[in-house]
Amino acid sequence: MSLTAQQEEQARQVKAALPGYLAVRETAAAVLLAAGKDIGLRLDERDARDLAEAVVDAIHKGAEVRGISFACDIADQEMAAHEQYLLRGAREKAKSGDPLARAVLRDLEQHVEGTKRLRDELVERLARVGGQWLAERQRIVAVVPMPTPDKGQHRAKAAA
């Protein structure tokens, strides 16, 4: 198996293992319920689920926007690297009249154009999804801290 095939298989396995949005919410609910019990909070399952959904929902959109931004950065780096390392030399060789160099230059330019189109789509998505995220973020009211249980209350529960 070639290195590329191995990497493709590893990437496929990682993608398959990534939890979906609903699985993350379920895990967060279970963790919050257990943590609430550990610190002495009286959270029923519905409260823990509501709290978990609020937390995951608050984090999810920001993580999605960050991922799109990262993809834009990679596309920018790819275009800059092609310009710096490949296109500049290919243009010089094509100017000399070499027919093979002209064909290679045309192929390289098509590749960069495709990368630019992909980047433009990512930027459009970043503007749209990021704009929604910013609007939602501005609507979030200040977070009110949860009251801490009395020190005696937590110890009394542990003793019971």
Side-chain angles (χ1 to χ4, degrees):
M1 183 181 279
S2 72
L3 180 61
T4 303
Q6 287 175 334
Q7 290 171 338
E8 286 287 334
E9 178 59 22
Q10 282 180 320
R12 187 195 62 71
Q13 290 173 359
V14 168
K15 286 179 181 180
L18 287 173
Y21 178 69
L22 294 176
V24 170
R25 285 171 83 170
E26 290 296 319
T27 302
V31 168
L32 281 170
L33 191 59
K37 286 179 183 176
D38 287 348
I39 62 173
L41 291 177
R42 293 185 182 132
L43 289 175
D44 64 15
E45 191 172 331
R46 181 65 191 162
D47 291 339
R49 184 170 311 287
D50 290 345
L51 186 57
E53 288 178 4
V55 169
V56 171
D57 289 349
I59 294 169
H60 178 260
K61 189 61 80 172
E64 180 184 3
V65 170
R66 183 68 204 127
I68 298 168
S69 175
F70 178 73
C72 288
D73 292 346
I74 296 299
D76 287 340
Q77 291 170 5
E78 190 72 21
M79 288 173 33
H82 273 78
E83 182 62 41
Q84 182 178 0
Y85 299 112
L86 298 174
L87 285 172
R88 191 175 299 154
R91 285 183 185 122
E92 290 172 8
K93 288 180 182 176
K95 283 182 185 176
S96 70
D98 181 1
L100 180 59
R102 279 189 244 154
V104 168
L105 176 61
R106 186 173 48 253
D107 290 344
L108 286 172
E109 287 173 337
Q110 286 176 344
H111 177 76
V112 170
E113 184 59 36
T115 303
K116 183 180 180 327
R117 278 194 301 264
L118 175 62
R119 183 209 175 268
D120 291 346
E121 289 177 22
L122 288 167
V123 167
E124 181 275 326
R125 182 171 294 168
L126 179 61
R128 182 174 36 81
V129 174
Q132 292 169 352
W133 174 71
L134 285 173
E136 290 170 9
R137 220 174 125 199
Q138 291 173 353
R139 287 194 315 251
I140 295 176
V141 194
V143 177
V144 178
M146 291 179 58
T148 56
D150 296 335
K151 289 180 184 179
Q153 177 188 1
H154 182 62
R155 290 189 183 144
K157 285 183 183 180

